Structure formats: structure tokens, C-alpha cells
Amino acid sequence: MKIDKIALRKNQESFSFIIVIFLLLGGYLFFFTSTLWMPPSADASYLTKVGTEVAWDDRTVIINRWDYSEKQNEMEVEITVNNKSYDGNNKYSFSAVELRGTMLKTEVKVSDEDWIVVKIKELPNRWSDISLRMDVNGKNTSTLKLYTNLNDVTRVKKIDTLDYVGYKKKRFNIEIANYEKQIKDNQAQQKKLSDENKEIAKEIERINNEKTYQTDSQKQESDSKIAEAQNNITSNEKTINELDGDINEIRQRIEMTKKQIQDLNASAK
């Protein structure tokens, strides 16, 4: 009986040792292979934010949207490219990989010189991070790696399959929605500044009323405060007027974008 207990203890120790070795090997394997997937500095800043310019090979790349449909296990990524090198290489190929190394299927839905829509298909049921890779066709250059994760991606109920005109109209409608949001943000800022000016005017009135019972020295201090307050009002009014100009410009852009949609509809008939 005593021998059986000793043998059992040895077996347990051996099993524990095997588990430790397995975990160590797994950790080393992940450590040495993770750089193949992740960028060199893999903190929260590695995520590619929508609307942010990424510099790459004399180009700037902007992700306009990165949508994810859990029901379809698909993603759709819309990208704008500005080729500043004017080298004539405006065709790109794409691949995608999940954090654990699973290669994912990609399909280019739209490919203009400066605008691309890529679909990522057959995502695993459980995933946390996705890397979309972009290469210039016919040119030996570094691969651009774009990243999103489960929290950063935009969730949608369904990703529709559209034709070229459909994707164009979707792009323009998103631009209009973004423009309208900018107008609302500017108007909210204007209201904040206008409300602030009203409060400053009340404070100026209060200081002026107190001057009746102040000495000359106190009146000088009050006048300095009033002058500073009036400067703040002037600065706020200048900003409000500048925002008016921005709003007018954005409204013109909305009208021009709507005209592009009308022209698209006319050409599709």
C-alpha cells in the first residue's frame, strides 16, 4: 500500500512537470511568433483608428469604416488611399490573419485608384484581434498591417453585397452623415461660447455696479477685469464667426455630395 502511494505521488509529480514544460514551451512559442502578427510595440496604440491617416510607402491610407457582422462571420473594410509618389502603382492585394494565426479569406469588392472595399470572410466564432495586410501589386515594398479588435470594430446586423454604384452611394451617404455630425458639433460649440458670453456680460455688469462704492485703486482693478472679460467675449465671437464659415463650407460639401448621388442614380438607369 505504501509503495502504491509513493508510485502515485511520483506519477503526479511527473504529470505536473509535464504541464509546466508544456506551458513554458507554449509561452516561448507565442513570444517568438507573436511579432509575426503583432506590430513591434503591441500596446493599445497598435489599433488602426477609423479616420486616422497611416503613412506607408509614400502613401497615406485611411480606414473609412471597419464593419463586422457577427451573424455572417464577415467584415467589410473601406479604405481611402492617397498615392503621393505618383508611381502609377495603384493596384493592391490583401490578406488577413486572426491573432491565433488563422488565415482568413479576403475579397476585394471595389478597387479604384484611391478607394477600395475589402471583405474579410469566414471569421472564427471566437476571435479577438484581426490584422488586414495590404501590398502594392508589382512593387517590392513593405506590407502595411492594419488592426482592429472585437471592441474597436463597428458592429452591424448585416453586410449587404452591393454593386459598384451601391458601394459608391453608401460611401457618399456615410460622408453626408459625417458632415451633418460636424455641423451639429460646430453648432454645439457655438452655443457653448454664446452661453459663456452671456455669463461674462452678467459679470461685467456686476463689476460695473460695484464700482460706485470703490476707491480709485479698486476701480482700476475692476476696469482691468472688465477689459479682460471683454477680450474673452471678442475672442469667443471670432470663434463663433469662424465656425459659421466652417458650417457654410460643410453645407456646400453636402450639396455637392448629394449631386454626386443624383448623377450616380442617373447613370445607373
Side-chain angles (χ1 to χ4, degrees), residues 36-127:
L36 299 176
W37 188 91
M38 300 287 279
S41 57
D43 53 20
S45 64
Y46 80 92
L47 294 174
T48 311
K49 296 294 183 181
V50 171
T52 302
E53 284 191 356
V54 178
W56 169 60
D57 192 47
D58 294 326
R59 293 162 170 79
T60 56
V61 176
I62 300 175
I63 294 177
N64 301 324
R65 61 182 176 88
W66 196 322
D67 297 338
Y68 166 56
S69 169
E70 183 176 1
K71 184 177 180 180
Q72 294 169 285
N73 282 338
E74 289 184 350
M75 288 180 166
E76 196 168 76
V77 190
E78 182 181 313
I79 299 169
T80 298
V81 184
N82 180 14
N83 185 356
K84 297 180 179 180
S85 69
Y86 308 106
D87 57 6
N89 293 315
N90 297 308
K91 294 295 182 182
Y92 305 93
S93 57
F94 295 86
S95 60
V97 62
E98 192 261 340
L99 175 62
R100 288 169 290 187
T102 304
M103 297 300 298
L104 306 173
K105 292 184 179 181
T106 59
E107 179 184 0
V108 177
K109 305 299 293 185
V110 175
S111 181
D112 282 352
E113 289 186 354
D114 62 345
W115 175 59
I116 306 160
V117 177
V118 182
K119 183 173 284 189
I120 305 174
K121 302 188 291 186
E122 298 181 15
L123 274 69
N125 291 328
R126 292 184 178 180
W127 64 273

Side-chain angles (χ1 to χ4, degrees), residues 1 19 60 128 145 178-179 193 213 221 260:
M1 189 71 177
I19 291 176
T60 56
S128 60
K145 298 179 181 180
N178 289 335
Y179 285 145
L193 293 173
Y213 308 102
E221 292 179 7
Q260 286 180 290

Side-chain angles (χ1 to χ4, degrees), residues 149-178:
N149 65 22
L150 194 58
N151 297 320
D152 201 58
V153 76
T154 300
R155 290 175 177 268
V156 296
K157 291 182 178 180
K158 183 182 178 183
I159 295 174
D160 295 317
T161 299
L162 305 172
D163 58 11
Y164 180 83
V165 173
Y167 278 115
K168 269 284 188 182
K169 288 168 65 176
K170 182 172 184 175
R171 176 188 181 185
F172 290 146
N173 283 323
I174 290 173
E175 286 181 1
I176 289 171
N178 289 335

Side-chain angles (χ1 to χ4, degrees), residues 165-212:
V165 173
Y167 278 115
K168 269 284 188 182
K169 288 168 65 176
K170 182 172 184 175
R171 176 188 181 185
F172 290 146
N173 283 323
I174 290 173
E175 286 181 1
I176 289 171
N178 289 335
Y179 285 145
E180 289 174 343
K181 183 180 182 302
Q182 289 178 32
I183 288 175
K184 287 182 179 179
D185 290 343
N186 286 352
Q187 289 174 336
Q189 187 176 353
Q190 284 180 315
K191 184 179 185 306
K192 180 181 177 182
L193 293 173
S194 180
D195 291 343
E196 183 179 310
N197 279 355
K198 291 177 182 177
E199 294 302 318
I200 294 174
K202 290 179 183 178
E203 181 65 12
I204 290 173
E205 183 179 4
R206 184 190 67 79
I207 295 172
N208 272 323
N209 290 336
E210 288 184 350
K211 286 171 64 177
T212 306

